[in-house]
Tab-separated table of all heavy atoms in Angstrom:
chain	number	residue	atom	x	y	z
F	9	LEU	N	-6.930	5.334	-1.455
F	9	LEU	CA	-7.474	5.773	-0.169
F	9	LEU	C	-6.505	6.730	0.520
F	9	LEU	O	-5.944	6.442	1.574
F	9	LEU	CB	-7.738	4.562	0.729
F	9	LEU	CG	-8.660	3.490	0.138
F	9	LEU	CD1	-8.833	2.345	1.117
F	9	LEU	CD2	-9.998	4.076	-0.234
F	10	THR	N	-6.318	7.889	-0.067
F	10	THR	CA	-5.294	8.799	0.448
F	10	THR	C	-5.801	9.678	1.580
F	10	THR	O	-5.011	10.258	2.310
F	10	THR	CB	-4.767	9.706	-0.677
F	10	THR	OG1	-5.879	10.368	-1.301
F	10	THR	CG2	-4.033	8.891	-1.719
F	11	GLU	N	-7.104	9.817	1.729
F	11	GLU	CA	-7.643	10.655	2.796
F	11	GLU	C	-8.134	9.762	3.929
F	11	GLU	O	-9.237	9.262	3.934
F	11	GLU	CB	-8.799	11.516	2.257
F	11	GLU	CG	-8.392	12.479	1.156
F	11	GLU	CD	-7.394	13.515	1.654
F	11	GLU	OE1	-7.475	13.905	2.835
F	11	GLU	OE2	-6.524	13.928	0.860
F	12	LEU	N	-7.272	9.580	4.916
F	12	LEU	CA	-7.624	8.729	6.049
F	12	LEU	C	-8.071	9.588	7.233
F	12	LEU	O	-7.428	10.591	7.560
F	12	LEU	CB	-6.429	7.875	6.469
F	12	LEU	CG	-5.986	6.825	5.449
F	12	LEU	CD1	-4.761	6.087	5.956
F	12	LEU	CD2	-7.100	5.843	5.165
F	13	PRO	N	-9.171	9.211	7.886
F	13	PRO	CA	-9.655	10.009	9.019
F	13	PRO	C	-8.738	9.869	10.224
F	13	PRO	O	-8.003	8.887	10.354
F	13	PRO	CB	-11.036	9.397	9.296
F	13	PRO	CG	-10.948	8.002	8.785
F	13	PRO	CD	-10.036	8.065	7.589
F	14	PRO	N	-8.757	10.840	11.133
F	14	PRO	CA	-7.870	10.811	12.304
F	14	PRO	C	-8.001	9.544	13.135
F	14	PRO	O	-7.022	9.046	13.672
F	14	PRO	CB	-8.309	12.051	13.101
F	14	PRO	CG	-8.916	12.963	12.080
F	14	PRO	CD	-9.563	12.059	11.079
F	15	GLU	N	-9.235	8.990	13.225
F	15	GLU	CA	-9.395	7.799	14.054
F	15	GLU	C	-8.674	6.589	13.461
F	15	GLU	O	-8.292	5.667	14.190
F	15	GLU	CB	-10.881	7.468	14.265
F	15	GLU	CG	-11.667	7.136	12.994
F	15	GLU	CD	-12.285	8.377	12.351
F	15	GLU	OE1	-11.802	9.491	12.638
F	15	GLU	OE2	-13.239	8.216	11.580
F	16	VAL	N	-8.477	6.571	12.146
F	16	VAL	CA	-7.730	5.488	11.519
F	16	VAL	C	-6.234	5.693	11.705
F	16	VAL	O	-5.477	4.762	11.992
F	16	VAL	CB	-8.082	5.370	10.019
F	16	VAL	CG1	-7.178	4.358	9.335
F	16	VAL	CG2	-9.541	4.968	9.867
F	17	LEU	N	-5.781	6.924	11.554
F	17	LEU	CA	-4.362	7.218	11.732
F	17	LEU	C	-3.928	7.153	13.192
F	17	LEU	O	-2.736	7.099	13.493
F	17	LEU	CB	-4.046	8.613	11.180
F	17	LEU	CG	-3.990	8.712	9.659
F	17	LEU	CD1	-3.823	10.159	9.230
F	17	LEU	CD2	-2.870	7.874	9.080
F	18	ARG	N	-4.888	7.141	14.109
F	18	ARG	CA	-4.592	7.042	15.540
F	18	ARG	C	-3.607	8.125	15.980
F	18	ARG	O	-2.680	7.881	16.754
F	18	ARG	CB	-4.033	5.659	15.890
F	18	ARG	CG	-4.994	4.518	15.608
F	18	ARG	CD	-4.327	3.194	15.848
F	18	ARG	NE	-5.184	2.096	15.415
F	18	ARG	CZ	-4.773	0.843	15.241
F	18	ARG	NH1	-3.514	0.540	15.460
F	18	ARG	NH2	-5.599	-0.092	14.851
F	19	GLY	N	-3.824	9.302	15.480
F	19	GLY	CA	-2.986	10.412	15.892
F	19	GLY	C	-1.655	10.483	15.180
F	19	GLY	O	-0.856	11.374	15.444
F	20	GLY	N	-1.376	9.547	14.277
F	20	GLY	CA	-0.104	9.536	13.574
F	20	GLY	C	-0.170	10.324	12.280
F	20	GLY	O	-1.012	11.190	12.096
F	21	LYS	N	0.715	9.981	11.340
F	21	LYS	CA	0.780	10.717	10.087
F	21	LYS	C	1.180	9.773	8.963
F	21	LYS	O	1.703	8.686	9.196
F	21	LYS	CB	1.799	11.846	10.193
F	21	LYS	CG	3.194	11.404	10.649
F	21	LYS	CD	4.091	12.606	10.844
F	21	LYS	CE	5.454	12.190	11.395
F	21	LYS	NZ	5.386	11.671	12.756
F	22	LEU	N	0.898	10.219	7.756
F	22	LEU	CA	1.304	9.482	6.566
F	22	LEU	C	2.723	9.885	6.194
F	22	LEU	O	3.028	11.071	6.085
F	22	LEU	CB	0.357	9.795	5.409
F	22	LEU	CG	0.712	9.194	4.050
F	22	LEU	CD1	0.453	7.698	4.056
F	22	LEU	CD2	-0.095	9.866	2.940
F	23	LEU	N	3.593	8.886	6.015
F	23	LEU	CA	4.940	9.134	5.500
F	23	LEU	C	4.908	8.739	4.025
F	23	LEU	O	4.903	7.552	3.703
F	23	LEU	CB	5.982	8.296	6.250
F	23	LEU	CG	6.003	8.406	7.777
F	23	LEU	CD1	7.156	7.580	8.347
F	23	LEU	CD2	6.101	9.854	8.225
F	24	PRO	N	4.850	9.690	3.112
F	24	PRO	CA	4.653	9.346	1.690
F	24	PRO	C	5.710	8.368	1.190
F	24	PRO	O	6.908	8.525	1.461
F	24	PRO	CB	4.772	10.698	0.988
F	24	PRO	CG	4.451	11.711	2.043
F	24	PRO	CD	4.980	11.137	3.314
F	25	SER	N	5.264	7.360	0.460
F	25	SER	CA	6.215	6.407	-0.120
F	25	SER	C	7.223	7.109	-1.004
F	25	SER	O	8.374	6.671	-1.110
F	25	SER	CB	5.459	5.343	-0.914
F	25	SER	OG	4.645	4.557	-0.064
F	26	LYS	N	6.812	8.190	-1.646
F	26	LYS	CA	7.750	8.978	-2.459
F	26	LYS	C	8.952	9.404	-1.621
F	26	LYS	O	10.109	9.261	-2.048
F	26	LYS	CB	7.045	10.201	-3.037
F	26	LYS	CG	7.974	11.159	-3.797
F	26	LYS	CD	7.219	12.397	-4.246
F	26	LYS	CE	8.127	13.339	-5.027
F	26	LYS	NZ	9.250	13.842	-4.194
F	27	SER	N	8.700	9.901	-0.436
F	27	SER	CA	9.793	10.370	0.414
F	27	SER	C	10.643	9.220	0.919
F	27	SER	O	11.876	9.333	1.024
F	27	SER	CB	9.222	11.157	1.598
F	27	SER	OG	8.497	12.287	1.151
F	28	LEU	N	10.009	8.083	1.231
F	28	LEU	CA	10.761	6.930	1.726
F	28	LEU	C	11.685	6.378	0.642
F	28	LEU	O	12.826	5.999	0.920
F	28	LEU	CB	9.803	5.845	2.208
F	28	LEU	CG	8.812	6.242	3.317
F	28	LEU	CD1	7.985	5.025	3.735
F	28	LEU	CD2	9.527	6.840	4.519
F	29	LEU	N	11.203	6.327	-0.596
F	29	LEU	CA	12.029	5.844	-1.698
F	29	LEU	C	13.081	6.864	-2.103
F	29	LEU	O	14.212	6.512	-2.440
F	29	LEU	CB	11.138	5.499	-2.895
F	29	LEU	CG	10.255	4.258	-2.740
F	29	LEU	CD1	9.192	4.227	-3.828
F	29	LEU	CD2	11.083	2.992	-2.774
F	30	GLU	N	12.719	8.116	-2.060
F	30	GLU	CA	13.640	9.178	-2.443
F	30	GLU	C	14.853	9.225	-1.515
F	30	GLU	O	15.964	9.564	-1.935
F	30	GLU	CB	12.893	10.509	-2.395
F	30	GLU	CG	13.659	11.691	-2.938
F	30	GLU	CD	12.806	12.942	-2.924
F	30	GLU	OE1	12.058	13.142	-1.937
F	30	GLU	OE2	12.880	13.724	-3.896
F	31	GLY	N	14.648	8.842	-0.251
F	31	GLY	CA	15.749	8.882	0.705
F	31	GLY	C	16.780	7.795	0.513
F	31	GLY	O	17.922	7.930	0.980
F	32	ASN	N	16.401	6.713	-0.166
F	32	ASN	CA	17.323	5.594	-0.403
F	32	ASN	C	17.161	5.065	-1.825
F	32	ASN	O	16.797	3.906	-2.027
F	32	ASN	CB	17.059	4.457	0.596
F	32	ASN	CG	17.511	4.788	1.998
F	32	ASN	OD1	18.648	5.169	2.210
F	32	ASN	ND2	16.610	4.635	2.968
F	33	PRO	N	17.407	5.865	-2.829
F	33	PRO	CA	17.154	5.409	-4.206
F	33	PRO	C	18.129	4.317	-4.634
F	33	PRO	O	19.278	4.274	-4.199
F	33	PRO	CB	17.367	6.682	-5.024
F	33	PRO	CG	18.330	7.494	-4.211
F	33	PRO	CD	17.969	7.229	-2.778
F	34	GLY	N	17.628	3.409	-5.475
F	34	GLY	CA	18.489	2.397	-6.075
F	34	GLY	C	18.957	1.303	-5.142
F	34	GLY	O	19.889	0.575	-5.469
F	35	ARG	N	18.309	1.129	-4.001
F	35	ARG	CA	18.775	0.151	-3.015
F	35	ARG	C	17.919	-1.118	-2.949
F	35	ARG	O	18.228	-2.028	-2.187
F	35	ARG	CB	18.827	0.795	-1.629
F	35	ARG	CG	19.873	1.900	-1.500
F	35	ARG	CD	19.796	2.580	-0.139
F	35	ARG	NE	20.813	3.625	0.006
F	35	ARG	CZ	22.004	3.442	0.573
F	35	ARG	NH1	22.323	2.248	1.040
F	35	ARG	NH2	22.849	4.440	0.668
F	36	LEU	N	16.843	-1.177	-3.720
F	36	LEU	CA	15.915	-2.307	-3.652
F	36	LEU	C	16.091	-3.251	-4.836
F	36	LEU	O	16.582	-2.866	-5.890
F	36	LEU	CB	14.475	-1.795	-3.633
F	36	LEU	CG	14.063	-0.946	-2.429
F	36	LEU	CD1	12.713	-0.297	-2.674
F	36	LEU	CD2	14.015	-1.810	-1.161
F	37	ASP	N	15.630	-4.494	-4.653
F	37	ASP	CA	15.577	-5.462	-5.749
F	37	ASP	C	14.223	-5.429	-6.440
F	37	ASP	O	14.063	-5.979	-7.528
F	37	ASP	CB	15.853	-6.871	-5.224
F	37	ASP	CG	17.234	-6.984	-4.607
F	37	ASP	OD1	18.196	-6.474	-5.212
F	37	ASP	OD2	17.348	-7.572	-3.511
F	38	GLY	N	13.247	-4.817	-5.804
F	38	GLY	CA	11.923	-4.699	-6.374
F	38	GLY	C	11.092	-3.743	-5.543
F	38	GLY	O	11.337	-3.572	-4.347
F	39	VAL	N	10.116	-3.098	-6.173
F	39	VAL	CA	9.228	-2.171	-5.480
F	39	VAL	C	7.934	-2.899	-5.141
F	39	VAL	O	7.333	-3.558	-5.989
F	39	VAL	CB	8.944	-0.932	-6.343
F	39	VAL	CG1	7.847	-0.073	-5.737
F	39	VAL	CG2	10.222	-0.112	-6.514
F	40	SER	N	7.524	-2.803	-3.886
F	40	SER	CA	6.310	-3.479	-3.439
F	40	SER	C	5.304	-2.460	-2.914
F	40	SER	O	5.673	-1.379	-2.447
F	40	SER	CB	6.635	-4.495	-2.344
F	40	SER	OG	7.176	-3.859	-1.190
F	41	TYR	N	4.036	-2.828	-3.019
F	41	TYR	CA	2.972	-1.982	-2.479
F	41	TYR	C	1.805	-2.860	-2.071
F	41	TYR	O	1.697	-4.027	-2.462
F	41	TYR	CB	2.533	-0.933	-3.512
F	41	TYR	CG	1.737	-1.493	-4.676
F	41	TYR	CD1	0.343	-1.405	-4.712
F	41	TYR	CD2	2.376	-2.102	-5.756
F	41	TYR	CE1	-0.381	-1.907	-5.783
F	41	TYR	CE2	1.658	-2.604	-6.833
F	41	TYR	CZ	0.279	-2.499	-6.843
F	41	TYR	OH	-0.445	-3.018	-7.892
F	42	HIS	N	0.931	-2.287	-1.246
F	42	HIS	CA	-0.284	-2.965	-0.813
F	42	HIS	C	-1.480	-2.220	-1.394
F	42	HIS	O	-1.411	-1.019	-1.634
F	42	HIS	CB	-0.382	-2.985	0.716
F	42	HIS	CG	0.746	-3.709	1.381
F	42	HIS	ND1	0.885	-3.775	2.752
F	42	HIS	CD2	1.793	-4.411	0.873
F	42	HIS	CE1	1.971	-4.474	3.053
F	42	HIS	NE2	2.535	-4.863	1.923
F	43	PHE	N	-2.574	-2.944	-1.609
F	43	PHE	CA	-3.747	-2.293	-2.188
F	43	PHE	C	-5.040	-2.873	-1.628
F	43	PHE	O	-5.239	-4.092	-1.600
F	43	PHE	CB	-3.768	-2.455	-3.714
F	43	PHE	CG	-5.106	-2.064	-4.309
F	43	PHE	CD1	-5.468	-0.732	-4.389
F	43	PHE	CD2	-6.000	-3.016	-4.743
F	43	PHE	CE1	-6.706	-0.357	-4.894
F	43	PHE	CE2	-7.234	-2.663	-5.259
F	43	PHE	CZ	-7.588	-1.326	-5.338
F	44	TYR	N	-5.904	-1.977	-1.176
F	44	TYR	CA	-7.286	-2.301	-0.837
F	44	TYR	C	-8.168	-1.239	-1.492
F	44	TYR	O	-7.887	-0.043	-1.396
F	44	TYR	CB	-7.506	-2.283	0.675
F	44	TYR	CG	-6.756	-3.370	1.402
F	44	TYR	CD1	-5.491	-3.135	1.924
F	44	TYR	CD2	-7.304	-4.639	1.546
F	44	TYR	CE1	-4.799	-4.129	2.582
F	44	TYR	CE2	-6.610	-5.643	2.202
F	44	TYR	CZ	-5.361	-5.390	2.718
F	44	TYR	OH	-4.665	-6.379	3.361
F	45	GLY	N	-9.236	-1.685	-2.147
F	45	GLY	CA	-10.099	-0.739	-2.840
F	45	GLY	C	-10.923	0.125	-1.922
F	45	GLY	O	-11.434	1.170	-2.333
F	46	ASP	N	-11.066	-0.296	-0.657
F	46	ASP	CA	-11.875	0.445	0.299
F	46	ASP	C	-11.532	-0.054	1.689
F	46	ASP	O	-10.765	-1.018	1.838
F	46	ASP	CB	-13.369	0.241	0.011
F	46	ASP	CG	-14.235	1.381	0.534
F	46	ASP	OD1	-13.764	2.148	1.401
F	46	ASP	OD2	-15.377	1.504	0.075
F	47	ARG	N	-12.096	0.588	2.697
F	47	ARG	CA	-12.025	0.085	4.060
F	47	ARG	C	-13.370	-0.532	4.401
F	47	ARG	O	-14.414	0.033	4.091
F	47	ARG	CB	-11.699	1.226	5.042
F	47	ARG	CG	-10.357	1.879	4.778
F	47	ARG	CD	-10.008	2.901	5.853
F	47	ARG	NE	-10.993	3.979	5.965
F	47	ARG	CZ	-11.016	5.044	5.161
F	47	ARG	NH1	-10.138	5.149	4.180
F	47	ARG	NH2	-11.916	5.984	5.323
F	48	SER	N	-13.357	-1.683	5.039
F	48	SER	CA	-14.616	-2.300	5.440
F	48	SER	C	-15.227	-1.516	6.599
F	48	SER	O	-14.576	-0.656	7.202
F	48	SER	CB	-14.379	-3.753	5.863
F	48	SER	OG	-13.701	-3.802	7.104
F	49	GLN	N	-16.480	-1.843	6.927
F	49	GLN	CA	-17.148	-1.090	7.983
F	49	GLN	C	-16.499	-1.279	9.339
F	49	GLN	O	-16.722	-0.490	10.257
F	49	GLN	CB	-18.638	-1.441	8.058
F	49	GLN	CG	-18.949	-2.906	8.234
F	49	GLN	CD	-19.290	-3.562	6.909
F	49	GLN	OE1	-18.546	-3.419	5.936
F	49	GLN	NE2	-20.393	-4.281	6.863
F	50	ARG	N	-15.656	-2.302	9.495
F	50	ARG	CA	-14.925	-2.428	10.756
F	50	ARG	C	-14.069	-1.188	11.009
F	50	ARG	O	-13.860	-0.795	12.149
F	50	ARG	CB	-13.999	-3.651	10.716
F	50	ARG	CG	-14.678	-5.001	10.746
F	50	ARG	CD	-13.617	-6.076	10.908
F	50	ARG	NE	-14.164	-7.414	10.829
F	50	ARG	CZ	-14.249	-8.111	9.711
F	50	ARG	NH1	-13.826	-7.600	8.577
F	50	ARG	NH2	-14.750	-9.334	9.716
F	51	CYS	N	-13.536	-0.617	9.938
F	51	CYS	CA	-12.689	0.573	10.058
F	51	CYS	C	-13.438	1.839	9.679
F	51	CYS	O	-12.816	2.876	9.453
F	51	CYS	CB	-11.453	0.425	9.168
F	51	CYS	SG	-10.208	-0.685	9.824
F	52	GLY	N	-14.743	1.766	9.561
F	52	GLY	CA	-15.490	2.963	9.211
F	52	GLY	C	-15.287	3.377	7.785
F	52	GLY	O	-14.989	4.538	7.508
F	53	GLY	N	-15.441	2.446	6.847
F	53	GLY	CA	-15.234	2.744	5.436
F	53	GLY	C	-16.154	3.860	4.952
F	53	GLY	O	-17.272	4.014	5.450
């Protein structure tokens, strides 16, 4: 779900995980992520 509408982002922005990891490489004990296949109609899927 990489294309989020402005109303979901609430005027903010996406900070790519690539950039967050690239800024501090080799500092974690494990890589974690979250996953949802879609947004429910509560969020205007």
Side-chain angles (χ1 to χ4, degrees):
L9 304 180
T10 54
E11 298 296 327
L12 293 178
E15 62 270 21
V16 173
L17 285 174
R18 298 174 187 165
K21 54 185 176 293
L22 175 72
L23 306 184
S25 295
K26 175 184 181 297
S27 299
L28 302 183
L29 289 166
E30 188 177 40
N32 288 307
R35 294 175 179 265
L36 296 169
D37 299 316
V39 171
S40 63
Y41 72 100
H42 299 176
F43 167 73
Y44 294 93
D46 204 342
R47 298 186 301 278
S48 72
Q49 55 262 50
R50 290 188 185 92
C51 284

